[in-house]
Amino acid sequence: ETGVTQSPTHLIKTRGQQVTLRCSSQSGHNTVSWYQQALGQGPQFIFQYYREEENGRGNFPPRFSGLQFPNYSSELNVNALELDDSALYLCASSRGGTGELFFGEGSRLTVL
Amino acid sequence: AQSVTQLGSHVSVSEGALVLLRCNYSSSVPPYLFWYVQYPNQGLQLLLKYTSAATLVKGINGFEAEFKKSETSFHLTKPSAHMSDAAEYFCAVAPKRQAGTALIFGKGTTLSVSS
């Protein structure tokens, strides 16, 4: 069983640029959630996708957007990057509402 | 609004000693509760979850947690710490109707284990 994989693992961007992070969900999982984890903090919910539709969103501005594809993989896009966007971005997949999220190892974004 | 408070950002124990990591939640309805562990440069791994069945929940690696509604607590314990338990631990809460999604995490507790 293949777990959740994320790419890239590390990347550096400058303020104002745009970034796309990718996530492949675990086999059999149809729900993908994205979390932002700032240094020394717990993860914060960005949004969730179920069957290609966004069905939940946390307190993040519209410049954070996402997609889910028919194979349930997902992308997180962040436009107009700000310094505070520097964080570990975690993707998690689940089989609907089973109560267990399976996390990838994350993409660490540094904004200079 | 739901929230989670983890008491103590850093806990240090000796190998073989009891591990106790504290978590209190606020919720207007009985929630789902989770403990996750994060090793350096890795994602989060589920240790255990409470979903309104038994109040004492057993997880992986010898950890367990007890749901106490009267105290709104879900503390994590392990009878005997091992060096490999050193990691960051997160308590999380979710509304029942959204089990497993839109988790609200605490700020985490770093567990250090000394020999």
Side-chain angles (χ1 to χ4, degrees), chain B:
Chain B
Q2 297 193 339
S3 66
V4 171
T5 302
Q6 291 185 240
L7 300 174
S9 59
H10 200 148
V11 171
S12 297
V13 300
S14 299
E15 194 171 21
L18 171 71
V19 175
L20 171 60
L21 304 182
R22 299 176 187 274
C23 172
N24 288 89
Y25 68 91
S26 67
S27 175
S28 57
V29 297
Y32 285 174
L33 292 160
F34 307 82
W35 275 99
Y36 281 86
V37 61
Q38 185 176 36
Y39 297 100
N41 301 313
Q42 293 189 24
L44 279 72
Q45 180 184 10
L46 181 68
L47 279 176
L48 48 81
K49 62 182 178 183
Y50 167 76
T51 56
S52 76
T55 57
L56 181 62
V57 181
K58 294 187 182 299
I60 62 171
N61 302 338
F63 285 94
E64 63 182 36
E66 186 173 7
F67 173 70
K68 291 187 176 181
K69 184 178 178 181
S70 61
E71 298 177 7
T72 60
S73 69
F74 191 57
H75 301 331
L76 181 70
T77 60
K78 182 174 180 177
S80 177
H82 192 272
M83 297 293 286
S84 61
D85 294 327
E88 187 84 12
Y89 291 80
F90 293 95
C91 181
V93 63
K96 273 194 173 179
R97 64 179 176 85
Q98 294 179 314
T101 63
L103 296 183
I104 299 169
F105 286 86
K107 292 188 175 182
T109 298
T110 301
L111 175 65
S112 299
V113 182
S114 59
S115 58

Side-chain angles (χ1 to χ4, degrees), chain A residues 3-112:
Chain A
V4 178
T5 59
Q6 293 187 242
S7 63
T9 54
H10 295 83
L11 69 166
I12 300 173
K13 294 285 188 178
T14 57
R15 270 188 308 175
Q17 286 189 312
Q18 178 266 343
V19 68
T20 297
L21 307 178
R22 295 177 175 83
C23 171
S24 293
S25 60
Q26 185 161 317
S27 176
H29 289 183
N30 56 15
T31 303
V32 172
S33 304
W34 286 91
Y35 288 79
Q36 180 196 66
Q37 186 179 16
L39 199 62
Q41 301 294 317
Q44 283 196 297
F45 176 68
I46 303 175
F47 44 56
Q48 174 194 281
Y49 280 83
Y50 173 69
R51 294 186 175 179
E52 303 178 57
E53 296 286 333
E54 182 182 300
N55 72 338
R57 189 178 184 93
N59 189 27
F60 281 81
R63 58 189 186 84
F64 285 79
S65 63
L67 285 173
Q68 187 180 31
F69 301 99
N71 65 355
Y72 303 129
S73 66
S74 178
E75 285 183 355
L76 164 65
N77 299 289
V78 187
N79 294 321
L81 284 167
E82 301 177 359
L83 296 180
D84 285 348
D85 295 333
S86 295
L88 180 68
Y89 289 85
L90 295 165
C91 171
S93 71
S94 60
R95 191 177 290 117
T98 62
E100 181 168 356
L101 295 180
F102 290 81
F103 283 85
E105 295 193 352
S107 295
R108 185 164 297 282
L109 171 66
T110 301
V111 182
L112 303 176

